Amino acid sequence: MSKRHRLHQLLQEPRIWKAGQGAGPHQTVSTGFPDLDRALSGGWPTGVLTELLVDLCGIGELQLLLPALKAFHGRPIGSKVNPPLGAKKWIIWVAPPYMPYAPALVRAGVDISRLIVAHCDRQNDVLWAMEQALRSGACAAALAWSEGSDPRALRRLQLAVEKGLCWGVLLRPARFKKQRSPAALRIHLLAVSLSEISMDIFKNYKSRPQKIVVGIDGKLQSPARPFGEWAGKQKSRFDADF
Amino acid sequence: MGGVKQQSLLPLSVVANAHFDSQAITPELLPSNDRGREIPGRHSRNHLWISLYFKYLPIESISTSRSKPEAVLVEQKHQARILVCNQVAERLGIRPGLSVKAALAMVPELAIAHRDIRLETQILRRLAAWATRFTPAVSIDSSNTLLLDVRASLKFFGGLPKLWKLLSSDLDRWGYRVTVACAPTALASIWLARTGEHDDRSVPQYSRRRLAALPIASLGWPENIERMLREMGVDTLGECIRLPRDGLARRIGPEKLRELDQGFGIQPESREFYRPPRRFHAQLELPAETSNCQLLLESLGRLLGSLKIFLLANQRAVQVLWVHLHHYDKPSTLLRIGLLQPVMDTDYLLDLAHIRFTDSHFSAPVVSMALQTDPVTIHTVSGQDLFDCSTEHGAGIVELLEQLQVRLGSQAVYGIRPVAEYRPELAWKAVQLCDEDARIASGKMPVRSAYDRAGYRPLWILAEPRVLPMLAGRPAFQGKLNLEDDPERIETGWWDGRDIRRDYYRAWNHHGLRLWVFRDCRESRWYLHGLFG
């Protein structure tokens, strides 16, 4: 009896994080991929920070995010407390590795009249800009490509996302996988083939960690060949030397 | 001869049609041979000019000592005479007009200074800026007099006594000795104030008898004209205005006669009104040279405080701020803080400056700081629709963009738009998001345009196409590239010299990257232009 009591007391500790008990009634944005929706219990979460760890930029991570970005076409995001009537919110991309190509984005269905692109010279500007965007309440989604690892800045990002109740995605090199991060959802992306990406969801605030493979539209007519034999040769290098 | 309605914000002199009430000019005061002439401007509004004559400004601008006798001299006909002196000297017997030698003989410890007209003008302009609180029609006369046309403000302030109470309490705070008078015409009020003998703290009253009884000396005309009038037996203004006009015009000149007429309201008068400066400029010396951001921000906060008073007083809003940081030996640093919309809120400007200052290093310690603005604009409060919720979020995005631009640079934050163009690198453009139509336009872009009917386009594009090295006969980017079979040829652009002839291929490498490469047909080289996904 006392053991159960002690266990119960231990579980009430705020320092213990329990997976499976959601942080709150957060809205989710459907990812557009049914497998991923099921794995994430609904879709991309709003109000918590999502972290995507990729080795190389361009293996298809933007394709993963596209269906959700399309969903922001004129759609307000907010809690039930004060939904803005018809107020269209903005999407901001902070420090993208290359220039977003407007014709392709238009063709994909993204509303680029509400898109802001911000380039940063310094790394701490990247996290700062994302924090400002999330906190301002004018953005429905913020994507940032960062190589920084300042834990305080990450913690502030998490608080900003909670305050702004928007969709925040931070893309970082895969070498930060081992580092602790306050993001509630952390996924490591690897290219399995030209049209498939393996997602290792190793921290999930809603359910247990899992690994899935998602098929994205490669838009290339070549046969989908798995790179099993090449997977070991992948260097964990984030778009570095060109 | 109808008058022009006085408008408050015209730049230069405005024809102000002033006239008395019909009781003011009694038939006796009119020239006898023009009794039938109609008083002009009977249909226009009246005016009520309050004039503040700062007689002691020359000495008060230089020093405000209450214990030592001081005086200011003026050169008159190669002889130095006393212009004004302070109260201590007056008690000791010094009077204006005394020669300096005599004054020094009377009071050996008298301190004498030259007049500083620039300082007086500065003080008068500051006083004029204060006076705009009561009326927009403020005029500075050359004889150290400030004129306020308060007729239009009487209703707002609830009558002349209440207005006068506010005015006099502020004047007491300024601390200058001032003589006050009021009259329906500006010149008359100047004349009345000039002959006022002491500071009058009761509500100034106008009476036409007092105007008519003023001595000729209050007009401030040259001595020979005064003497001539005195010899003619004319001692007061009332007698002067009754003289035959053509004879008087021949003797004193038409301009002097017109001045007299304007003072009595027979002719309209014009005044140049005080305009607030278009730019704000203030400087602050730091107590010690420093490169500490916190201290610099505190000093900037004080400068912004005076900017706030300036903006509030003139109802203006500022859009671009320049902060000059002066160093001892090096050329000064210039920081620009630009906003998307004009603002009056200096606390917000301080926040933006905070963003700008933190994390930035200055090349040398700062000795003094100056704040300057671009020409300020009239502050307009945009009407807010009751059901329009977009303003609420619109304000948020504007502030976010301003904050980002302050820290990252104004060219680093932009939006993108497609351009109808076959050449891929020109098929998009960056737009500044402060553009009104960029913000409003949405849904007007075609999802598919004729220009990209041909092939797929990558989601990422490089700013400049990058040359790819060849590896075993194939282009390589982090490994050999495998190319798709059907290229897309783009050959266009001959009209502006940037013509291209390229074969675009989709390629992939063994890391899983999908790339968009092209082969330039003329140079036969391979380039990387974009990445899919």
Side-chain angles (χ1 to χ4, degrees), chain A residues 110-153:
Chain A
V110 177
D111 182 10
I112 62 173
S113 68
R114 298 273 154 184
L115 182 67
I116 309 171
V117 179
H119 280 285
C120 304
D121 288 329
R122 298 178 296 184
Q123 272 308 309
N124 31 346
D125 282 346
V126 174
L127 295 177
W128 173 87
M130 189 177 181
E131 187 195 339
Q132 294 305 312
L134 293 170
R135 245 193 326 169
S136 75
C139 287
L143 279 67
W145 284 257
S146 159
E147 297 196 24
S149 66
D150 183 12
R152 272 176 307 162

Short mmCIF file of all heavy atoms in Angstrom, two decimals, chain A residues 110-153:
data_model
loop_
_atom_site.label_atom_id
_atom_site.label_comp_id
_atom_site.label_asym_id
_atom_site.label_seq_id
_atom_site.Cartn_x
_atom_site.Cartn_y
_atom_site.Cartn_z
N VAL A 110 0.30 26.59 -52.34
CA VAL A 110 0.56 27.37 -51.14
C VAL A 110 0.18 28.83 -51.41
O VAL A 110 0.44 29.35 -52.48
CB VAL A 110 2.06 27.27 -50.77
CG1 VAL A 110 2.38 28.13 -49.57
CG2 VAL A 110 2.44 25.83 -50.53
N ASP A 111 -0.38 29.47 -50.42
CA ASP A 111 -0.78 30.87 -50.56
C ASP A 111 0.43 31.75 -50.30
O ASP A 111 0.75 32.05 -49.15
CB ASP A 111 -1.90 31.18 -49.57
CG ASP A 111 -2.39 32.60 -49.68
OD1 ASP A 111 -2.01 33.29 -50.65
OD2 ASP A 111 -3.15 33.04 -48.80
N ILE A 112 1.13 32.14 -51.36
CA ILE A 112 2.37 32.88 -51.10
C ILE A 112 2.15 34.37 -50.90
O ILE A 112 3.09 35.12 -50.65
CB ILE A 112 3.43 32.66 -52.22
CG1 ILE A 112 2.90 33.18 -53.54
CG2 ILE A 112 3.80 31.23 -52.30
CD1 ILE A 112 3.99 33.13 -54.57
N SER A 113 0.89 34.81 -51.00
CA SER A 113 0.69 36.21 -50.67
C SER A 113 0.80 36.43 -49.17
O SER A 113 0.88 37.56 -48.70
CB SER A 113 -0.68 36.68 -51.16
OG SER A 113 -1.68 36.03 -50.40
N ARG A 114 0.76 35.33 -48.42
CA ARG A 114 0.89 35.46 -46.96
C ARG A 114 2.19 34.85 -46.49
O ARG A 114 2.29 34.39 -45.36
CB ARG A 114 -0.27 34.71 -46.29
CG ARG A 114 -1.60 35.27 -46.64
CD ARG A 114 -1.97 36.36 -45.74
NE ARG A 114 -2.88 37.28 -46.37
CZ ARG A 114 -3.31 38.39 -45.80
NH1 ARG A 114 -2.88 38.71 -44.62
NH2 ARG A 114 -4.14 39.19 -46.44
N LEU A 115 3.18 34.84 -47.37
CA LEU A 115 4.43 34.19 -47.01
C LEU A 115 5.49 35.25 -46.77
O LEU A 115 5.64 36.16 -47.57
CB LEU A 115 4.85 33.26 -48.16
CG LEU A 115 6.13 32.46 -47.95
CD1 LEU A 115 5.91 31.46 -46.85
CD2 LEU A 115 6.50 31.74 -49.23
N ILE A 116 6.22 35.13 -45.68
CA ILE A 116 7.34 36.03 -45.42
C ILE A 116 8.60 35.19 -45.42
O ILE A 116 8.63 34.12 -44.82
CB ILE A 116 7.22 36.68 -44.03
CG1 ILE A 116 5.86 37.30 -43.84
CG2 ILE A 116 8.30 37.71 -43.82
CD1 ILE A 116 5.63 37.75 -42.42
N VAL A 117 9.63 35.67 -46.10
CA VAL A 117 10.92 35.00 -46.07
C VAL A 117 11.89 35.92 -45.35
O VAL A 117 11.99 37.10 -45.67
CB VAL A 117 11.41 34.72 -47.51
CG1 VAL A 117 12.75 34.04 -47.47
CG2 VAL A 117 10.42 33.87 -48.25
N ALA A 118 12.60 35.40 -44.38
CA ALA A 118 13.56 36.22 -43.64
C ALA A 118 14.92 35.53 -43.68
O ALA A 118 15.03 34.37 -43.31
CB ALA A 118 13.09 36.38 -42.19
N HIS A 119 15.92 36.26 -44.15
CA HIS A 119 17.27 35.73 -44.18
C HIS A 119 18.07 36.29 -43.03
O HIS A 119 17.99 37.48 -42.73
CB HIS A 119 17.95 36.10 -45.50
CG HIS A 119 17.53 35.21 -46.62
ND1 HIS A 119 17.99 33.92 -46.77
CD2 HIS A 119 16.67 35.41 -47.63
CE1 HIS A 119 17.43 33.38 -47.82
NE2 HIS A 119 16.63 34.25 -48.36
N CYS A 120 18.87 35.44 -42.40
CA CYS A 120 19.64 35.90 -41.24
C CYS A 120 21.12 35.70 -41.51
O CYS A 120 21.52 34.70 -42.09
CB CYS A 120 19.26 35.09 -40.00
SG CYS A 120 17.51 35.15 -39.64
N ASP A 121 21.91 36.65 -41.03
CA ASP A 121 23.36 36.50 -41.17
C ASP A 121 23.94 35.65 -40.05
O ASP A 121 24.91 34.94 -40.24
CB ASP A 121 24.02 37.89 -41.11
CG ASP A 121 23.72 38.66 -42.38
OD1 ASP A 121 23.58 37.99 -43.42
OD2 ASP A 121 23.65 39.89 -42.33
N ARG A 122 23.37 35.79 -38.88
CA ARG A 122 23.96 35.10 -37.73
C ARG A 122 22.99 34.05 -37.20
O ARG A 122 21.78 34.19 -37.33
CB ARG A 122 24.25 36.11 -36.63
CG ARG A 122 25.24 37.17 -37.05
CD ARG A 122 25.45 38.15 -35.95
NE ARG A 122 24.22 38.89 -35.68
CZ ARG A 122 24.15 39.88 -34.80
NH1 ARG A 122 25.22 40.21 -34.12
NH2 ARG A 122 23.02 40.52 -34.59
N GLN A 123 23.55 33.06 -36.56
CA GLN A 123 22.72 31.96 -36.09
C GLN A 123 21.78 32.37 -34.99
O GLN A 123 20.64 31.90 -34.93
CB GLN A 123 23.60 30.79 -35.62
CG GLN A 123 23.96 29.83 -36.74
CD GLN A 123 22.73 29.37 -37.49
OE1 GLN A 123 21.77 28.93 -36.89
NE2 GLN A 123 22.76 29.48 -38.79
N ASN A 124 22.22 33.20 -34.06
CA ASN A 124 21.29 33.55 -32.98
C ASN A 124 20.16 34.43 -33.49
O ASN A 124 19.11 34.50 -32.86
CB ASN A 124 21.99 34.18 -31.77
CG ASN A 124 23.19 34.95 -32.16
OD1 ASN A 124 23.68 34.83 -33.28
ND2 ASN A 124 23.72 35.73 -31.24
N ASP A 125 20.35 35.04 -34.65
CA ASP A 125 19.23 35.78 -35.23
C ASP A 125 18.13 34.86 -35.68
O ASP A 125 16.95 35.22 -35.69
CB ASP A 125 19.70 36.60 -36.44
CG ASP A 125 20.43 37.85 -36.01
OD1 ASP A 125 20.33 38.21 -34.82
OD2 ASP A 125 21.09 38.47 -36.86
N VAL A 126 18.51 33.63 -36.10
CA VAL A 126 17.50 32.70 -36.63
C VAL A 126 16.50 32.36 -35.53
O VAL A 126 15.28 32.49 -35.71
CB VAL A 126 18.18 31.42 -37.14
CG1 VAL A 126 17.14 30.41 -37.55
CG2 VAL A 126 19.09 31.73 -38.30
N LEU A 127 17.02 31.94 -34.39
CA LEU A 127 16.11 31.54 -33.32
C LEU A 127 15.35 32.76 -32.79
O LEU A 127 14.18 32.67 -32.44
CB LEU A 127 16.90 30.87 -32.20
CG LEU A 127 17.55 29.54 -32.62
CD1 LEU A 127 18.36 28.98 -31.47
CD2 LEU A 127 16.50 28.54 -33.03
N TRP A 128 16.02 33.90 -32.76
CA TRP A 128 15.35 35.11 -32.31
C TRP A 128 14.18 35.47 -33.21
O TRP A 128 13.08 35.79 -32.77
CB TRP A 128 16.35 36.26 -32.25
CG TRP A 128 15.72 37.58 -31.93
CD1 TRP A 128 15.46 38.09 -30.70
CD2 TRP A 128 15.25 38.54 -32.87
NE1 TRP A 128 14.86 39.32 -30.81
CE2 TRP A 128 14.72 39.62 -32.14
CE3 TRP A 128 15.22 38.60 -34.27
CZ2 TRP A 128 14.19 40.74 -32.74
CZ3 TRP A 128 14.68 39.73 -34.87
CH2 TRP A 128 14.17 40.78 -34.11
N ALA A 129 14.44 35.40 -34.53
CA ALA A 129 13.39 35.78 -35.49
C ALA A 129 12.20 34.83 -35.37
O ALA A 129 11.04 35.25 -35.41
CB ALA A 129 13.93 35.76 -36.92
N MET A 130 12.48 33.55 -35.21
CA MET A 130 11.38 32.60 -35.09
C MET A 130 10.59 32.89 -33.81
O MET A 130 9.36 32.85 -33.81
CB MET A 130 11.91 31.17 -35.05
CG MET A 130 10.79 30.17 -35.15
SD MET A 130 11.41 28.52 -35.21
CE MET A 130 9.90 27.61 -35.34
N GLU A 131 11.31 33.22 -32.75
CA GLU A 131 10.60 33.51 -31.50
C GLU A 131 9.70 34.73 -31.66
O GLU A 131 8.56 34.74 -31.21
CB GLU A 131 11.63 33.75 -30.41
CG GLU A 131 11.02 33.89 -29.04
CD GLU A 131 12.02 34.48 -28.07
OE1 GLU A 131 13.22 34.40 -28.36
OE2 GLU A 131 11.59 35.02 -27.06
N GLN A 132 10.22 35.78 -32.31
CA GLN A 132 9.40 36.97 -32.52
C GLN A 132 8.17 36.65 -33.33
O GLN A 132 7.06 37.10 -33.04
CB GLN A 132 10.20 38.04 -33.26
CG GLN A 132 11.36 38.60 -32.50
CD GLN A 132 10.94 39.14 -31.17
OE1 GLN A 132 9.98 39.89 -31.06
NE2 GLN A 132 11.63 38.73 -30.14
N ALA A 133 8.36 35.83 -34.39
CA ALA A 133 7.23 35.51 -35.25
C ALA A 133 6.18 34.72 -34.50
O ALA A 133 4.99 34.97 -34.61
CB ALA A 133 7.73 34.72 -36.46
N LEU A 134 6.63 33.76 -33.69
CA LEU A 134 5.66 32.93 -32.97
C LEU A 134 4.94 33.74 -31.92
O LEU A 134 3.75 33.57 -31.70
CB LEU A 134 6.40 31.76 -32.30
CG LEU A 134 7.00 30.74 -33.27
CD1 LEU A 134 7.89 29.80 -32.51
CD2 LEU A 134 5.90 29.98 -33.96
N ARG A 135 5.67 34.65 -31.29
CA ARG A 135 5.05 35.39 -30.19
C ARG A 135 4.10 36.46 -30.68
O ARG A 135 3.19 36.86 -29.96
CB ARG A 135 6.14 36.05 -29.36
CG ARG A 135 6.17 35.48 -27.99
CD ARG A 135 6.92 36.17 -27.04
NE ARG A 135 8.09 36.79 -27.59
CZ ARG A 135 8.80 37.64 -26.91
NH1 ARG A 135 8.45 37.93 -25.70
NH2 ARG A 135 9.85 38.20 -27.44
N SER A 136 4.32 36.94 -31.90
CA SER A 136 3.54 38.09 -32.32
C SER A 136 2.08 37.76 -32.50
O SER A 136 1.23 38.63 -32.43
CB SER A 136 4.09 38.63 -33.64
OG SER A 136 3.70 37.75 -34.68
N GLY A 137 1.77 36.50 -32.74
CA GLY A 137 0.37 36.18 -32.94
C GLY A 137 -0.12 36.46 -34.34
O GLY A 137 -1.27 36.20 -34.67
N ALA A 138 0.74 37.02 -35.18
CA ALA A 138 0.32 37.31 -36.55
C ALA A 138 0.64 36.15 -37.48
O ALA A 138 0.21 36.15 -38.63
CB ALA A 138 1.02 38.58 -37.05
N CYS A 139 1.40 35.16 -37.00
CA CYS A 139 1.80 34.05 -37.86
C CYS A 139 1.04 32.81 -37.46
O CYS A 139 0.89 32.50 -36.27
CB CYS A 139 3.29 33.77 -37.71
SG CYS A 139 4.30 35.03 -38.48
N ALA A 140 0.57 32.08 -38.47
CA ALA A 140 -0.06 30.80 -38.18
C ALA A 140 0.96 29.68 -38.19
O ALA A 140 0.73 28.65 -37.58
CB ALA A 140 -1.15 30.53 -39.20
N ALA A 141 2.05 29.87 -38.93
CA ALA A 141 3.07 28.82 -39.00
C ALA A 141 4.42 29.46 -39.17
O ALA A 141 4.56 30.50 -39.82
CB ALA A 141 2.79 27.89 -40.19
N ALA A 142 5.43 28.85 -38.60
CA ALA A 142 6.79 29.36 -38.73
C ALA A 142 7.71 28.18 -38.94
O ALA A 142 7.68 27.22 -38.17
CB ALA A 142 7.20 30.14 -37.47
N LEU A 143 8.52 28.29 -40.01
CA LEU A 143 9.51 27.26 -40.29
C LEU A 143 10.87 27.91 -40.18
O LEU A 143 11.09 28.98 -40.74
CB LEU A 143 9.34 26.71 -41.72
CG LEU A 143 8.28 25.67 -41.99
CD1 LEU A 143 6.89 26.21 -41.82
CD2 LEU A 143 8.46 25.10 -43.38
N ALA A 144 11.79 27.27 -39.49
CA ALA A 144 13.12 27.86 -39.35
C ALA A 144 14.16 26.77 -39.59
O ALA A 144 14.01 25.65 -39.12
CB ALA A 144 13.29 28.47 -37.96
N TRP A 145 15.22 27.15 -40.30
CA TRP A 145 16.34 26.26 -40.53
C TRP A 145 17.49 26.78 -39.67
O TRP A 145 18.02 27.85 -39.94
CB TRP A 145 16.74 26.28 -42.00
CG TRP A 145 15.82 25.51 -42.89
CD1 TRP A 145 16.05 24.29 -43.41
CD2 TRP A 145 14.54 25.92 -43.36
NE1 TRP A 145 15.00 23.88 -44.18
CE2 TRP A 145 14.05 24.87 -44.17
CE3 TRP A 145 13.74 27.05 -43.19
CZ2 TRP A 145 12.81 24.91 -44.80
CZ3 TRP A 145 12.50 27.11 -43.81
CH2 TRP A 145 12.06 26.05 -44.60
N SER A 146 17.85 26.03 -38.67
CA SER A 146 18.82 26.56 -37.73
C SER A 146 19.93 25.56 -37.50
O SER A 146 19.73 24.35 -37.58
CB SER A 146 18.13 26.88 -36.41
OG SER A 146 19.06 26.93 -35.37
N GLU A 147 21.12 26.06 -37.23
CA GLU A 147 22.21 25.18 -36.82
C GLU A 147 22.63 25.49 -35.41
O GLU A 147 23.63 24.99 -34.95
CB GLU A 147 23.39 25.37 -37.75
CG GLU A 147 23.07 24.98 -39.16
CD GLU A 147 24.31 24.79 -39.98
OE1 GLU A 147 25.37 24.50 -39.42
OE2 GLU A 147 24.21 24.93 -41.20
N GLY A 148 21.88 26.35 -34.73
CA GLY A 148 22.26 26.71 -33.39
C GLY A 148 21.76 25.70 -32.39
O GLY A 148 20.85 24.91 -32.65
N SER A 149 22.32 25.76 -31.21
CA SER A 149 21.92 24.80 -30.20
C SER A 149 21.82 25.45 -28.83
O SER A 149 22.04 24.78 -27.84
CB SER A 149 22.94 23.66 -30.15
OG SER A 149 24.17 24.20 -29.67
N ASP A 150 21.50 26.70 -28.78
CA ASP A 150 21.39 27.38 -27.49
C ASP A 150 20.15 26.87 -26.75
O ASP A 150 19.04 27.10 -27.19
CB ASP A 150 21.28 28.89 -27.74
CG ASP A 150 21.25 29.67 -26.47
OD1 ASP A 150 21.53 29.09 -25.40
OD2 ASP A 150 20.93 30.87 -26.54
N PRO A 151 20.31 26.19 -25.64
CA PRO A 151 19.14 25.59 -24.99
C PRO A 151 18.16 26.63 -24.47
O PRO A 151 16.94 26.42 -24.48
CB PRO A 151 19.74 24.75 -23.84
CG PRO A 151 21.12 25.25 -23.67
CD PRO A 151 21.57 25.85 -24.95
N ARG A 152 18.69 27.79 -24.05
CA ARG A 152 17.75 28.80 -23.56
C ARG A 152 16.89 29.33 -24.68
O ARG A 152 15.69 29.55 -24.52
CB ARG A 152 18.53 29.96 -22.93
CG ARG A 152 18.83 29.74 -21.46
CD ARG A 152 19.67 30.85 -20.94
NE ARG A 152 20.86 31.03 -21.75
CZ ARG A 152 21.60 32.13 -21.75
NH1 ARG A 152 21.27 33.14 -20.98
NH2 ARG A 152 22.66 32.23 -22.51
N ALA A 153 17.52 29.51 -25.85
CA ALA A 153 16.73 30.02 -26.99
C ALA A 153 15.67 29.01 -27.38
O ALA A 153 14.54 29.37 -27.72
CB ALA A 153 17.67 30.30 -28.17
#
